[in-house]
């Protein structure tokens, strides 16, 4: 049954400092950014919490900038902003590409990068991109800030290391050497959750990450090692289908996901070879 919105309360801090104090002193509170995931939860009655913290007014969480060679993306950055950002298109074009595949223009206008990361769905489209970029999640509480390597952020299905008194304030992306590649496979070209989503970088040691094939987004180090050490594509595909743990669910079957993952690996390898890496 849909959640009765009239029973919910929403606190609206004006600054990040105020938001973090409220989170510490008046919690538990659920952060609310673009509300695209949360609203779906209200619709299906799957969000039991009743008290929310509105992040929309926090200017400190917006903006895309460079700090030295590092790209710093505020947690409230929307997909539309990612798609339009010259910095993102230059530094991490596959993040702009992944953003184009999210939902519809309406979702791209509201949904945020921080929300995609915090929501922790294994199907989140930006997550394989951040995994191969070896990004860092910047978490802040009233008392301290800490930086968590993206590869350590998820601890299980929809579980993260974020504490309830912390907000994601930014995602930091170091320089990424090598050709970048992204592909999402879903039921339709738009408004579809992925059956398999893959991001990869063709570097001397290739980096490959997949979504929708395990409880969390995953890097596939054994597959990467085969390619780095000059193994054949067929050998890498055989390792890949063994390295992922897809399941049968409403959207697809494990067998289909294994097959498509192998095909995507082949496509990544041939596309990036043709581009002359
Ligand atoms: C119709 C539709 C289509 C969609 N299509 C796609 C798609 O194709 N691909 C895809 O990946 N996703 C898709 N989504 C999911 C969703 O749009 C994204 O995950 C989006 O990025 C969520 O961002 P948000 O700002 O709306 O998050 P919200 O709904 O506001 O929050 C989501 C979760 O993150 C937490 N949170 C948000 N910001 C922070 C923060 N800064 N710090 C700590 N916690 C935080 C919230 O507490 C909540 O648990 C779709 C959703 C809908 C409704």
């Amino acid at each position: 049954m849909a959640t009765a919105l009239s029973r919910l309360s929403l606190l609206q801090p004006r600054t990040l400092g105020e938001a973090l104090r409220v989170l510490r002193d008046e919690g538990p509170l659920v952060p609310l950014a673009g509300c695209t995931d949360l609203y779906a939860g209200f619709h299906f009655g799957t969000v039991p919490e009743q008290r929310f913290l509105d992040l929309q007014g926090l200017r400190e969480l917006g903006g895309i900038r460079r700090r030295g060679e590092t790209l710093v993306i505020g947690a409230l950055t929307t997909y539309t902003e990612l798609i339009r950002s010259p910095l993102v298109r230059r530094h991490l074009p596959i993040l702009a590409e992944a953003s184009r595949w999210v939902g519809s223009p309406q979702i791209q206008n509201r949904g945020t990068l921080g929300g995609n990361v915090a929501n922790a769905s294994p199907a989140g489209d930006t997550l394989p991109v951040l995994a191969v970029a070896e990004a860092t999640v910047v978490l802040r509480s009233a008392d301290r800030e800490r930086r968590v390597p993206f590869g350590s952020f998820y601890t299980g299905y929809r579980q993260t290391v974020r504490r309830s008194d912390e907000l994601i304030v930014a995602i930091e992306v170091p320089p990424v050497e090598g050709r970048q590649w992204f592909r999402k496979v879903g039921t339709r070209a738009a408004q579809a959750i992925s059956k398999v989503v893959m991001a990869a970088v063709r570097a001397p040691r290739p980096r490959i990450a997949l979504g929708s094939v395990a409880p969390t987004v995953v890097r596939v180090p054994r597959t990467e090692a085969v390619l780095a050490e000059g193994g054949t594509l067929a050998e890498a595909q055989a390792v890949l289908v063994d390295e992922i743990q897809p399941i049968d669910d409403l959207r697809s079957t494990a067998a289909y996901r294994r097959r498509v993952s192998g095909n995507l690996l082949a496509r990544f390898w041939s596309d990036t070879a043709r581009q002359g890496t």
Side-chain angles (χ1 to χ4, degrees), residues 133-151:
E134 301 192 333
T136 298
V137 182
V138 185
L139 293 165
R140 197 178 298 173
S141 66
D143 308 313
R144 67 172 180 145
E145 182 171 282
R146 62 184 179 125
R147 291 180 152 68
V148 179
F150 195 78

Side-chain angles (χ1 to χ4, degrees), residues 30-40 55 61 75 79 101-104 107 110-116 118-119 123-126 162 166-169 184 191-193:
V30 180
L32 183 154
C35 202
T36 57
D37 273 315
L38 284 171
Y39 198 85
L55 308 183
L61 299 192
Y79 296 106
W101 286 93
V102 170
S104 58
I107 297 294
R110 278 206 71 85
T112 65
L113 184 62
N116 205 225
N119 194 50
D125 283 333
T126 67
R162 184 182 80 82
E166 290 175 319
L167 291 175
I168 297 175
V169 292
K184 170 177 175 174
Q191 286 284 31
I193 302 173

Side-chain angles (χ1 to χ4, degrees), residues 166-181:
E166 290 175 319
L167 291 175
I168 297 175
V169 292
I171 305 295
E172 294 180 345
V173 184
V176 177
E177 302 294 336
R179 292 208 178 266
Q180 303 176 19
W181 189 91

